[in-house]
């Protein structure tokens, strides 16, 4: 196997350290309705001992009107502190399949000032199937203070996204499945047009992992370059609602690509507007 991302944690590593002071474990599972999985109910039934549940719909901007938009730094800090998480902790984030929703929360912690944050390779589905420790016991946490250091430069707002698309000043990497990107398959949310932003490249998030594990670095690079991305130039990541865009962000960061940002509104915003340019077909 090739070299793996420095942001990915091996299940053996985590199992050996369960209960260690300064280690925070976060269940960041989140699913689209079509997946017919209830993340909170699954957490309540079984989770990694010591894990807290990160509700991506709750820890969001309540005034946005868009799904799970990035919350303000103060709101994020309040929620993180209430879960007993410190910015100085080593944080391990996981979801069910492995690399669907966890990278979004990994990204959120990073832009809020945490650098010792990792994603669990294989996800909880693999963890549970392997017979590793699980519990239904509620995790007892002592609320604390989360000292936030928000890097707003890593988030692209709509007005800037319009300029990027107009000028081509950065490459756009879209993590949605090919059918949605090409405008063949309908969007899972009502009222959205189908297709993609002019000039965008399609990097379906599912192509960046295999059997719940992030691809090794050489295969990540090959997959990103095969989509048409030039890894020596800036990239903005996007998806349906800002969740799986972070899978591409994780892949880019793993390869040492630092000039990347995430369009938080993603297609939920772009596809809902009447005056944003939309094209169909392959890139």
């Amino acid at each position: 196997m090739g070299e793996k991302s420095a942001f990915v944690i091996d299940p053996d590593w985590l199992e050996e350290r369960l209960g260690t002071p300064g280690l925070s474990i976060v269940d960041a599972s989140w699913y689209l309705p079509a997946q017919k999985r209830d993340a909170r109910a699954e957490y309540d039934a079984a989770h990694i001992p010591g894990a807290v549940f990160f509700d991506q719909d709750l820890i969001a901007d309540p005034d946005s009107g868009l799904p799970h938009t990035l919350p303000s730094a103060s709101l994020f800090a309040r929620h993180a502190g209430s879960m007993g998480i410190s910015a100085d902790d080593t944080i391990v984030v996981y979801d069910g399949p492995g690399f669907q929703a966890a990278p979004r929360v990994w990204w959120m912690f990073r832009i809020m000032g945490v650098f010792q944050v990792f994603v669990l390779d294989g996800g909880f589905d693999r963890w549970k199937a392997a017979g590793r420790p699980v519990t239904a016991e509620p995790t007892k946490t002592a609320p604390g203070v989360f000292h936030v250091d928000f890097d707003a430069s890593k988030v692209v707002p709509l007005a800037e996204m319009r300029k990027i698309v107009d000028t081509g000043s950065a490459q756009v990497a879209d993590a949605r499945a090919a059918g949605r990107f090409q405008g063949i398959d309908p969007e899972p949310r009502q009222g959205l047009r189908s297709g993609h932003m002019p000039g965008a490249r399609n990097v379906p998030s599912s192509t960046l992992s295999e059997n719940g594990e992030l691809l090794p670095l050489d295969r990540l690079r090959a997959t990103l370059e095969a989509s048409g991305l030039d890894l020596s130039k800036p990239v903005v990541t996007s998806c349906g609602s800002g969740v799986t865009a972070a899978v591409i962000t994780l892949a880019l960061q793993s390869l040492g690509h630092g000039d990347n940002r995430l369009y938080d509104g993603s297609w939920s915003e772009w596809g809902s507007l009447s005056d944003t340019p939309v094209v169909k077909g392959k890139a």
Side-chain angles (χ1 to χ4, degrees):
M1 178 179 286
E3 185 182 356
K4 296 292 294 261
S5 169
F7 300 116
V8 168
I9 285 295
D10 179 86
D12 288 340
W13 185 97
L14 180 59
E15 185 173 354
E16 290 167 5
R17 289 163 177 79
L18 291 179
T20 304
L23 174 68
S24 285
I25 306 172
V26 178
D27 185 328
S29 301
W30 173 88
Y31 302 103
L32 285 164
Q35 292 174 279
K36 295 181 168 43
R37 292 182 66 169
D38 184 327
R40 180 73 209 211
E42 290 189 21
Y43 168 84
D44 289 340
H47 51 266
I48 296 176
V52 294
F53 184 72
F54 190 107
D55 188 332
Q56 298 206 47
D57 291 318
L58 174 66
I59 306 173
D61 180 355
D63 303 318
S64 153
L66 295 169
H68 40 254
T69 302
L70 190 71
S72 67
S74 60
L75 182 59
F76 183 92
R78 193 157 68 245
H79 280 291
S82 72
M83 290 187 283
I85 300 173
S86 164
D88 296 325
D89 287 348
T90 295
I91 301 173
V92 177
V93 186
Y94 71 86
D95 62 31
F99 287 90
Q100 178 179 308
R104 164 75 180 191
V105 175
W106 168 86
W107 172 78
M108 290 172 76
F109 274 113
R110 279 179 62 83
I111 66 168
M112 293 297 176
V114 178
F115 292 98
Q116 288 294 109
V117 55
F118 307 93
V119 179
L120 175 64
D121 222 10
F124 184 65
D125 294 347
R126 286 272 299 279
W127 176 280
K128 189 176 178 181
R132 297 180 187 273
V134 302
T135 184
E137 289 293 316
T139 297
K140 294 186 176 70
T141 59
V145 177
F146 182 94
H147 295 285
V148 68
D149 183 14
F150 176 46
D151 184 359
S153 72
K154 291 297 184 181
V155 187
V156 179
L158 174 64
E160 188 176 358
M161 196 68 219
R162 289 180 185 271
K163 292 177 183 176
I164 289 169
V165 172
D166 283 347
T167 63
S169 58
Q171 302 166 99
V172 179
D174 190 323
R176 291 175 300 153
R180 289 170 61 190
F181 178 87
Q182 294 174 27
I184 298 168
D185 297 337
E187 288 295 310
R189 296 179 178 84
Q190 295 293 320
L192 301 184
R193 291 178 291 161
S194 295
H196 58 269
M197 301 173 213
R201 300 292 181 177
N202 192 202
V203 187
S205 58
S206 61
T207 64
L208 300 172
S209 64
E210 191 172 75
N211 300 319
E213 297 184 1
L214 193 68
L215 296 178
L217 298 184
D218 55 348
R219 292 180 62 193
L220 283 179
R221 181 178 297 278
T223 301
L224 294 172
E225 290 179 343
S227 74
L229 291 178
D230 181 342
L231 299 183
S232 69
K233 295 180 179 178
V235 178
V236 174
T237 62
S238 181
C239 61
S241 61
V243 173
T244 57
V247 182
I248 306 178
T249 304
L250 174 60
L252 290 167
Q253 292 285 150
S254 297
L255 293 168
H257 184 286
D259 194 358
N260 59 80
R261 308 165 70 198
L262 191 148
Y263 170 36
D264 197 37
S266 283
W267 201 256
S268 293
E269 183 172 54
W270 194 271
S272 70
L273 301 172
S274 59
D275 64 340
T276 45
V278 172
V279 295
K280 296 189 178 186
K282 295 182 179 180

